[in-house]
Amino acid sequence: MLVSATEMLKKAKEGKYAVGQFNINNLEWTKSILLTAQELKSPVILGVSEGAGKYMTGFKTVSAMVRAMDEELGITVPVALHLDHGTYNGCYKCIKAGFTSIMFDGSSLPFEENIDKTKELVNVAHQLGLSIEAEVGSIGGEEDGVIGAGECADPNECKQIADLGIDFLAAGIGNIHGAYPENWAGLSFDTLAAIQEKTGIMPLVLHGGTGIPDDQIKKAISLGVSKINVNTECQWAFQEATREYIEAGKDKEGKGFDPRKLLAPGAQAICDKVKEKMELFGSVGKA
Ligand code: 13P
């Protein structure tokens, strides 16, 4: 059931668990995530980066596919179709294409411009019933060409953005996209606690969910994180399962070259990874 992410994240914040945002790349990814959410009775957020949207031939295609799949599979758990790290123009494209949620990432802009554009998009999104995420303090690393330095957000700036009426807030707390380096200092819980204190009931978003140790994930949830984004770990799971299949020569056995067979181990690996994360985040049975 396609919905905005507002209610599911409000409930998550109150219930002290987090809803996973899993990024999608194609039909297999989408199907694996939807089926796992349904099986586990968990709410879920499908994240679409601008790069992935382009890869899938455009946001209209993505929206049509997700809506049709949601119906054909009889999905009854709440599903939000969310733009990940959207530009100003990308947000408008997704609103038009039928997404149920957008993220405007103005973190690389001068703060005043981030405020102005976020404010405008909050009004447009809410008029049409979409939820909206904003960002303060860039997330480190690189995702689909979006490169961030990974600074910790200023809690006062977080409060100013939160006061614009956004539905959930991404704030840098030492997290980065992709693999964490060996010498990573870990999440800054002092920053997270200060942001939580300033922003109160606002659900907070933890980007760069890949590779964060379980104890840090649990602590982050206890300090107000209600949405956790995972992308790279699903890619690794898919890659490893596909590699195993080919290295075992299974693509050469019988009709093992059939794409439905070739992609099946990777699709199953995504189901398993999403299940593991939903259990860790505490969203199982919360739909
Ligand atoms: P990872 O690729 O590090 O899991 O980050 C995902 C993310 O934050 C998407 O916005």
Side-chain angles (χ1 to χ4, degrees):
M1 186 185 39
L2 257 87
V3 293
S4 90
T6 307
E7 273 310 306
M8 66 169 89
L9 293 181
K10 238 188 224 169
K11 277 198 201 165
K13 177 98 184 187
E14 284 163 13
K16 288 210 178 285
Y17 60 92
V19 177
Q21 173 192 303
F22 302 97
N23 287 52
I24 59 171
N25 292 288
N26 59 17
L27 182 143
E28 279 73 19
W29 241 262
T30 313
K31 183 176 162 188
S32 293
I33 298 165
L34 287 180
L35 286 174
T36 306
Q38 182 69 22
E39 185 197 329
L40 299 182
K41 298 277 171 283
S42 169
V44 74
I45 298 169
L46 301 177
V48 183
S49 67
E50 298 212 351
K54 201 167 159 196
Y55 174 78
M56 289 183 271
T57 76
F59 296 126
K60 266 162 80 175
T61 310
V62 178
S63 176
M65 174 183 74
V66 169
R67 285 173 181 279
M69 204 185 282
D70 183 70
E71 191 184 321
E72 297 274 20
L73 292 175
I75 303 294
T76 55
V77 297
V79 177
L81 176 57
H82 180 71
L83 171 64
D84 190 24
H85 293 286
T87 57
Y88 179 79
N89 289 335
C91 283
Y92 277 105
K93 280 188 192 161
C94 285
I95 290 170
K96 216 170 142 200
F99 277 47
T100 62
S101 188
I102 52 170
M103 172 185 188
F104 172 59
D105 182 356
S107 63
S108 61
L109 303 172
F111 186 61
E112 287 310 317
E113 194 179 341
N114 188 3
I115 291 259
D116 289 348
K117 291 206 158 89
T118 300
K119 197 170 173 182
E120 174 189 320
L121 286 160
V122 164
N123 288 333
V124 177
H126 285 175
Q127 267 172 33
L128 296 165
L130 282 82
S131 47
I132 176 165
E133 172 179 350
E135 179 168 329
V136 182
S138 77
I139 314 296
E142 189 257 340
E143 186 178 66
D144 263 342
V146 181
I147 298 168
E151 76 237 23
C152 281
D154 173 347
N156 290 316
E157 289 189 354
C158 289
K159 164 106 181 98
Q160 285 181 65
I161 291 268
D163 285 349
L164 299 175
I166 59 165
D167 300 286
F168 32 106
L169 175 72
I173 54 165
N175 42 333
I176 63 169
H177 290 124
Y180 284 86
E182 294 267 323
N183 60 354
W184 179 52
L187 296 175
S188 169
F189 291 113
D190 290 348
T191 309
L192 179 56
I195 294 168
Q196 150 82 6
E197 201 185 310
K198 290 267 178 198
T199 58
I201 57 167
M202 171 72 52
L204 301 175
V205 183
L206 182 62
H207 282 248
T210 292
I212 298 179
D214 291 3
D215 59 330
Q216 292 193 39
I217 291 279
K218 286 188 177 153
K219 188 159 181 196
I221 294 173
S222 76
L223 289 169
V225 164
S226 318
K227 172 176 180 276
I228 303 177
N229 294 4
V230 178
N231 184 15
T232 309
E233 265 191 74
C234 289
Q235 299 184 350
W236 287 339
F238 183 88
Q239 174 210 16
E240 275 159 28
T242 308
R243 176 193 293 274
E244 251 172 52
Y245 181 87
I246 292 184
E247 285 185 348
K250 292 192 181 155
D251 58 320
K252 303 264 189 204
E253 288 167 12
K255 284 243 180 188
F257 58 84
D258 179 331
R260 282 170 282 176
K261 292 207 165 87
L262 185 66
L263 298 177
Q268 183 57 47
I270 295 172
C271 293
D272 298 344
K273 182 55 71 182
V274 169
K275 183 170 187 223
E276 175 194 316
K277 295 296 173 190
M278 286 177 165
E279 283 167 353
L280 174 65
F281 301 165
S283 69
V284 174
K286 298 293 190 330

